[in-house]
Amino acid sequence: MSSVKWHSLPFADVLQRLNSSLTGLTTEQAKKRLIEYGHNAIIQKRRRSLLYILLGQFSDFMIIVLLVAAVISGFIGEPQDTIAILVIVLLNAVIGTVQEFKAERAVAALRKMAAPEAYVLRDGHQVTLGATELVPGDVVILEAGNIVPADLRLLEEEELLVDESTLTGESHAIEKQTEPLADTALAIGDRVNLVFKSSMITRGRGKGVVVASGMETEIGQIAGLLQDEASVKTPLQTRLSRFGRYLALAVLAICVVVFAAGLLQGQPILLMFLTSVSLGVAAIPEALPAVVTISLALGARNLIRHNVLVRNLPAVETLGSVTYICTDKTGTLTQNLMTVELFFAAGEQRGSLPEPEASIPWAELSQAMALNNDIMEKDGKPAGEPTELALFEAAHMAGFDKSILELTTPRIAVIAFDSERKQMTTLHQTADLVTAYIKGAPEQVLQQCIQGLNNDGVTAFEVAAVLAEAAQLANKGYRVLAFAKREFSCLPESVDAETVERELTFLGLVALIDPPRPEVPQAVNDCLTAGIIPVMITGDHPGTAMAIAQRLGIIDDDRKMLSGDQLAKIPDEEFSRLVDSIRVYARVTPEQKLRIVKALQDKGEFVAMTGDGVNDAPALKRASIGVAMGLKGTDVAREASDMVLLDDDFSSIVRAIRSGRRTFDNIRKFIKYTLSSNAGEILTLFLAPFFGLPIPLLPIHILWINLVTDGLPGLALTTEPAEPDIMNRAPCPPKESIFSHGMWQHILWVGLFIGGISIATMAWAISRDVVYWQTMVFTVLTVSQLFHSLAVRSESTSFLRIGLFSNLPMLGSFLLTLLLQMVVIYTPALNTIFHTQPLPMVDLAVCLFISSLILFAVEIEKWLMHRGVIYA
């Protein structure tokens, strides 16, 4: 049944196909169909238990490596390392479990949108039933305020307006009709003789027959997509997983080499085993998951200040890698507020209405706008349909107050709007006349006009010229309304359209639009500067979408736009070639939104998707990062997303991207810092035997260095401010290694440098025959890593420019770690535990000077980078 084009069939044929009638089904028919079709409900697949989700967090390769390191640490008598690693791993598992559990609630939120009850004709009588009992063929009564209980083909309607924004993204209610539609390939928003499950009736009444129930409804199919669509890994998760595998293999090889080198030198087997294992544990950056989590948590806290609520911590970093932002139009790029922007009267176009004492044509147009509406005051504020409210506000701002005007020209009759006439008329009593004001679609109103009003009074009227003006405005994305009037000596006996709405005098045209948010053009420009491509995906008409996109700088010609109809005709292979050149999609379905996101991801792009409606949920879940709207978004969209814009403002996404890039930069800095430090330790131990020197460090020294240098300084890097050029560079290519842009070269040469100065210190101390040579090596290796933590605070900016006090946590961690090292050297009780000896002040000063050389070496590296000599 889902393949039947119900909107193209006359309702008599619809009833015949469904074996139903205008009086509905019998109770027996309904019972049989309930068995055949099932309940009219969203079916949720079996949800995974919390325990299952929790256990799944331990399948990541990096986590497995850390667990092995924890076991080894316990084996060699370092329980504090074991406890630290286990706490970090468990914390990450809990965070991951909470995030996945939240993601599974999207379908539950979808179920809540269903109508609890429905008014149904059964056995020829109207009864109230639970909406889950509806079956195809049931005839349902609809009234204002009802939630539509299933997908219905309309049989009758009276001034029926339906809010379908959660399904289509259209900001205004849709006028419905009952006539069949010839085009079988219409988008959901254009099937105006159908109403869809979970939509809201905002005005009028109607009657419809159920053509789809349960999972066969449009919203049910979205639920199916939502449950079948898997989330994708973030860039950082992908990179760290790959990094973990390579690191484990490298550490294993290093342990074997160090162990073998020690044995060849004649060292005791047990000492070399403990040394190589300690080195292996030290080489694994077990603080990395903690640093990543803290970086993301700090990023999330910072984003709250920018009205961005993070629901999934890895999303903070993902923002920094985004290459495409697929965004909804209404309310995100625009204000979600219909506004009058242009007026046309007396052959002249203006951007605002003149004052009340202006020329007669403009005054008449303004008065018609003020009076021809159903706006009422509610809680001290005008309230009503958005288009009428915009007209009312425009007239009021020009000095035409409806409440004052109605004192002298009260409304005495009305001919309500309907979808066939596409116009509304109000009749008002003046001192000696009755004036009818008419507003509606230009093609309807203008055909009924016989004359126009200009500055010289009533004149001949050229319908074609005004229709051309209206068409020109419509092509620019405006919603255009025409206004006219007719005067009577007294109220006509028959107040109907045939009597009143003819022989009219044309007053003017009014052009309305949902205007862009004022801050969005700059945000779009910031995206383009940062190498991020914004793409508009909307359920609105192509003309409106195109007009807004051009205003915002998203698009410059229509060759970069596709409608849903056009997209449906393009094969996947051809679309794959086109997708990176399209900037606007209009009138698209939920499946098509998903297709667009997948096509971009298949080309290696990381895609952020914004949305507010049920129709956006599958694409939000599939996207690299889903961004839901907080003000006008549905619970379904929020539950499927990774983060929520509390102010529904596109520019907040751009600020969030800046924060995401900062987070990724700081994680990179930590990896650069910790692996360089680990490389220095490894090379010191590995190279010393080749120079005929003894083993430089004991296992406890290695574990201490690992504890204090990877700890506080590493965590302090997470608070580093953003780089000055952070939004003037392209995002990292998704497949790019985390070691790109000179990182692996930096790790290698810094490791060699630290290893070199440590071995040189060792050789110098041994040549002087001092007994504390091992303490000197221990100190140089520790303090050089502290100076390196200061040096890597920026990838390219000099330490002298960023200053010592721009990251106070880093300064504090440097001083505290240095103090702890002094305590280990100069405290007698700790001398016994750590096998250290107090250093004379001169030798301590020499160790500190030698250690500081790494800071100057990294400054030279940055100087060479700026001149393009290295890493170009």
Side-chain angles (χ1 to χ4, degrees):
M1 287 185 46
S2 60
S3 62
V4 179
K5 307 297 181 184
W6 299 108
H7 63 277
S8 298
L9 300 174
F11 67 73
D13 291 352
V14 172
L15 291 171
Q16 185 178 4
R17 279 180 178 248
L18 293 168
N19 194 21
S20 183
S21 68
L22 288 172
T23 57
L25 301 174
T26 65
T27 303
E28 278 304 309
Q29 283 179 308
K31 284 181 180 178
K32 288 178 182 178
R33 295 189 186 192
L34 192 60
I35 295 169
E36 181 182 355
Y37 295 108
H39 283 89
N40 176 37
I42 302 299
I43 300 169
Q44 188 163 7
K45 292 181 179 178
R46 185 178 177 183
R47 295 176 69 174
R48 296 180 298 166
S49 68
L50 271 175
L51 179 61
Y52 182 89
I53 296 172
L54 179 64
L55 293 175
Q57 306 304 311
F58 296 96
S59 61
D60 183 79
F61 192 83
M62 189 68 186
I63 297 298
I64 293 170
V65 170
L66 287 173
L67 291 173
V68 171
V71 172
I72 294 172
S73 295
F75 175 74
I76 63 175
E78 297 296 336
Q80 69 274 14
D81 270 28
T82 301
I83 292 169
I85 293 171
L86 290 176
V87 167
I88 290 167
V89 168
L90 186 60
L91 177 64
N92 278 275
V94 169
I95 290 172
T97 300
V98 170
Q99 289 160 359
E100 286 198 34
F101 185 70
K102 282 180 179 177
E104 293 214 341
R105 297 192 307 187
V107 176
L110 199 58
R111 289 163 63 92
K112 290 179 184 177
M113 294 183 65
E117 294 181 336
Y119 304 119
V120 188
L121 294 180
R122 286 275 174 91
D123 301 313
H125 303 290
Q126 182 175 323
V127 294
T128 303
L129 295 177
T132 58
E133 303 299 311
L134 291 182
V135 294
D138 265 326
V139 174
V140 178
I141 309 298
L142 300 170
E143 296 176 352
N146 288 168
I147 296 173
V148 180
D151 286 4
L152 312 177
R153 169 66 164 85
L154 289 172
L155 307 174
E156 298 175 9
E157 66 86 19
E158 292 178 22
E159 301 177 28
L160 192 65
L161 277 180
V162 183
D163 180 0
E164 296 177 348
S165 57
T166 58
L167 272 173
T168 65
E170 290 224 31
S171 55
H172 55 83
I174 307 298
E175 301 159 9
K176 293 296 180 177
Q177 66 172 55
T178 58
E179 295 303 311
L181 304 168
D183 189 348
T184 59
L186 288 175
I188 293 172
D190 294 322
R191 299 176 203 169
V192 292
N193 54 13
L194 293 175
V195 291
F196 303 99
K197 183 178 173 72
S198 299
S199 299
M200 172 73 77
I201 307 298
T202 60
R203 189 177 78 184
R205 62 179 303 279
K207 183 188 291 184
V209 60
V210 176
V211 295
S213 62
M215 297 299 286
E216 292 299 313
T217 61
E218 290 293 335
I219 204 167
Q221 291 177 46
I222 291 171
L225 288 173
L226 200 54
Q227 295 184 90
D228 294 338
E229 200 52 54
S231 300
V232 296
K233 275 192 171 185
T234 71
L236 187 63
Q237 288 170 330
T238 303
R239 288 172 176 134
L240 289 182
S241 179
R242 192 185 313 130
F243 164 65
R245 288 194 296 273
Y246 294 150
L247 180 65
L249 294 172
V251 167
L252 183 61
I254 289 165
C255 289
V256 170
V257 170
V258 170
F259 180 71
L263 291 182
L264 291 172
Q265 201 182 31
Q267 299 289 343
I269 293 177
L270 181 59
L271 174 63
M272 288 315 303
F273 175 74
L274 292 176
T275 300
S276 59
V277 168
S278 299
L279 186 61
V281 172
I284 295 172
E286 67 268 17
L288 180 57
V291 166
V292 170
T293 301
I294 291 169
S295 294
L296 297 176
L298 290 173
R301 188 182 70 177
N302 183 54
L303 287 175
I304 284 287
R305 300 176 194 148
H306 298 305
N307 294 312
V308 178
L309 175 66
V310 176
R311 300 183 66 256
N312 181 7
L313 271 186
V316 176
E317 178 274 330
T318 309
L319 273 169
S321 300
V322 163
T323 55
Y324 273 76
I325 300 178
C326 296
T327 176
D328 185 28
K329 175 185 71 68
T330 305
T332 308
L333 299 176
T334 64
Q335 298 175 30
N336 195 22
L337 181 69
M338 290 302 287
T339 305
V340 180
E341 277 198 352
L342 291 174
F343 307 86
F344 176 81
E348 178 188 0
Q349 188 181 109
R350 292 190 180 186
S352 62
L353 288 171
E355 296 300 315
E357 46 286 346
S359 63
I360 291 175
W362 289 101
E364 285 282 355
L365 175 61
S366 301
Q367 183 153 313
M369 290 168 59
L371 293 172
N372 185 287
N373 58 67
D374 290 325
I375 298 299
M376 303 289 287
E377 192 171 288
K378 188 177 182 181
D379 299 326
K381 294 181 179 180
E385 197 271 327
T387 299
E388 289 199 335
L389 194 58
L391 297 168
F392 171 89
E393 294 284 3
H396 188 268
M397 287 179 65
F400 291 83
D401 189 304
K402 180 180 180 181
S403 59
I404 295 174
L405 288 172
E406 284 188 334
L407 295 176
T408 54
T409 54
R411 181 195 287 194
I412 56 174
V414 62
I415 306 172
F417 175 91
D418 69 49
S419 56
E420 285 188 23
R421 289 169 33 250
K422 296 183 179 179
Q423 52 195 19
M424 170 187 179
T425 298
T426 56
L427 291 92
H428 302 264
Q429 180 69 60
T430 59
D432 51 359
L433 293 171
V434 171
T435 303
Y437 290 115
I438 299 94
K439 78 165 183 287
E443 64 272 18
Q444 294 291 112
V445 175
L446 292 172
Q447 297 298 338
Q448 298 159 340
C449 293
I450 58 170
Q451 56 193 12
L453 190 63
N454 65 19
N455 296 322
D456 299 323
V458 176
T459 62
F461 178 62
E462 292 185 27
V463 174
V466 182
L467 276 174
E469 181 74 25
Q472 188 178 20
L473 291 169
N475 289 336
K476 292 179 180 178
Y478 288 103
R479 185 180 185 193
V480 186
L481 294 176
F483 282 82
K485 64 178 273 189
R486 184 179 178 188
E487 293 179 339
F488 300 89
S489 58
C490 61
L491 186 68
E493 288 186 16
S494 177
V495 180
D496 54 34
E498 288 75 16
T499 304
V500 177
E501 293 172 349
R502 60 190 182 88
E503 299 178 5
L504 307 180
T505 300
F506 172 70
L507 299 178
L509 300 174
V510 177
L512 304 97
I513 200 166
D514 178 11
R517 288 173 175 266
E519 65 278 7
V520 171
Q522 181 59 49
V524 168
N525 186 62
D526 290 344
C527 281
L528 296 171
T529 303
I532 302 163
I533 298 173
V535 175
M536 180 194 292
I537 303 180
T538 179
D540 252 351
H541 287 281
T544 306
M546 190 69 181
I548 297 297
Q550 286 177 327
R551 285 198 196 192
L552 296 175
I554 291 175
I555 196 171
D556 51 15
D557 58 65
D558 57 4
R559 288 172 296 174
K560 294 181 179 178
M561 186 183 80
L562 278 181
S563 68
D565 289 345
Q566 292 170 322
L567 180 56
K569 297 170 185 175
I570 299 175
D572 287 344
E573 189 176 333
E574 184 182 344
F575 183 54
S576 179
R577 291 195 298 270
L578 285 174
V579 67
D580 51 8
S581 66
I582 305 302
R583 298 291 176 266
V584 176
Y585 297 87
R587 272 292 193 243
V588 291
T589 65
E591 292 86 354
Q592 288 173 331
K593 290 185 179 184
L594 194 57
R595 184 185 178 195
I596 294 163
V597 170
K598 283 183 175 180
L600 287 168
Q601 288 175 332
D602 289 344
K603 298 202 80 169
E605 306 293 348
F606 269 91
V607 184
M609 173 77 194
T610 76
D612 59 350
V614 173
N615 58 327
D616 299 314
L620 286 172
K621 186 177 179 183
R622 171 70 194 197
S624 308
I625 176 166
V627 184
M629 303 298 110
L631 295 178
K632 66 185 182 70
T634 60
D635 287 342
V636 183
R638 283 192 285 269
E639 293 293 349
S641 67
D642 300 295
M643 58 177 53
V644 179
L645 296 185
L646 300 179
D647 57 359
D648 291 9
D649 183 357
F650 179 81
S651 60
S652 295
I653 302 176
V654 180
R655 291 191 291 271
I657 286 173
R658 176 185 172 84
S659 182
R661 289 190 175 189
R662 174 196 170 195
T663 300
F664 178 67
D665 280 357
N666 289 346
I667 291 170
R668 248 180 70 96
K669 289 169 189 174
F670 172 79
I671 292 173
K672 177 191 276 192
Y673 162 68
T674 192
L675 290 189
S676 299
S677 301
N678 292 353
E681 297 166 34
I682 292 166
L683 290 168
T684 300
L685 282 163
F686 180 69
L687 294 175
F690 291 97
F691 292 99
L693 298 171
I695 297 296
L697 300 169
L698 298 174
I700 194 167
H701 295 151
I702 299 170
L703 294 171
W704 170 258
I705 294 170
N706 191 47
L707 176 66
V708 297
T709 60
D710 280 6
L712 293 175
L715 294 176
L717 282 171
T718 64
T719 64
E720 191 62 37
E723 299 273 350
D725 66 339
I726 199 164
M727 290 301 284
N728 293 327
R729 64 183 194 227
C732 293
K735 294 183 180 179
E736 184 177 83
S737 167
I738 202 166
F739 297 102
S740 61
H741 303 294
M743 186 195 276
W744 72 265
Q745 295 98 322
H746 177 92
I747 291 168
L748 183 60
W749 81 256
V750 168
L752 284 167
F753 189 92
I754 291 175
I757 61 175
S758 300
I759 291 172
T761 303
M762 177 182 175
W764 177 67
I766 289 174
S767 70
R768 292 167 54 215
D769 204 23
V770 295
V771 294
Y772 48 77
W773 64 266
Q774 199 167 52
T775 304
M776 291 184 70
V777 179
F778 178 38
T779 302
V780 168
L781 203 49
T782 302
V783 179
S784 61
Q785 293 181 32
L786 292 181
F787 277 108
H788 185 233
S789 70
L790 297 179
V792 296
R793 284 179 51 202
S794 173
E795 300 231 10
S796 57
T797 305
S798 168
F799 173 71
L800 298 175
R801 284 189 64 189
I802 60 177
L804 190 61
F805 300 100
S806 57
N807 185 346
L808 291 178
M810 174 58 78
L811 178 61
S813 70
F814 178 91
L815 295 174
L816 179 58
T817 305
L818 186 61
L819 177 63
L820 290 173
Q821 182 67 17
M822 296 302 104
V823 169
V824 166
I825 295 174
Y826 293 105
T827 304
L830 294 178
N831 289 157
T832 305
I833 296 171
F834 284 92
H835 304 283
T836 54
Q837 293 165 299
L839 296 175
M841 286 298 107
V842 173
D843 284 340
L844 176 63
V846 169
C847 288
L848 295 179
F849 172 74
I850 291 172
S851 299
S852 69
L853 293 177
I854 186 64
L855 182 60
F856 299 103
V858 175
E859 286 295 298
I860 293 170
E861 178 193 42
K862 293 177 185 176
W863 185 82
L864 293 172
M865 283 174 61
H866 271 298
R867 280 149 186 80
V869 177
I870 57 174
Y871 315 147

